[in-house]
Amino acid sequence: MTTSQPDDEDGDPGLARARTSLAWTRTALSFAAVGGVVLKEHLIPGLLIMAVAPVIWQLGHLAHHLPGRLRLVTTTIVVVALVALAVAVIG
């Protein structure tokens, strides 16, 4: 008889929130790093990208039960994508 170890999610579902929080933090750090690289060549787009990093980090730390959280996250993602598109087309 073989016994399999439980999946991490099944063993401790509380880790899912911790992993999600870490993912938001990694994303914010990535935006800050990319903003720093872009800043070397183009001042305004680099500053815009770096300004988005704290917003992304803060979004990841909103309460999970906050009404409208999903709408806020979706709106922010769309705005960031549109700004990135505008920077790509203009630059």
Side-chain angles (χ1 to χ4, degrees):
M1 176 193 242
T2 39
T3 58
S4 62
Q5 292 185 351
D7 189 18
D8 285 341
E9 291 266 343
D10 296 333
D12 186 6
L15 289 178
R17 279 204 179 133
R19 287 193 304 268
T20 301
S21 176
L22 289 172
W24 279 100
T25 302
R26 275 193 314 268
T27 303
L29 287 172
S30 297
F31 266 83
V34 168
V37 170
V38 171
L39 190 62
K40 288 183 177 181
E41 295 293 323
H42 307 286
L43 179 66
I44 300 300
L47 289 174
L48 287 174
I49 295 170
M50 289 183 78
V52 171
V55 173
I56 292 171
W57 183 79
Q58 190 62 35
L59 276 174
H61 290 84
L62 287 177
H64 293 283
H65 62 278
L66 183 69
R69 179 179 186 271
L70 184 59
R71 184 179 304 231
L72 179 63
V73 169
T74 304
T75 303
T76 304
I77 290 170
V78 169
V79 168
V80 168
L82 290 174
V83 168
L85 178 65
V87 167
V89 169
I90 292 171

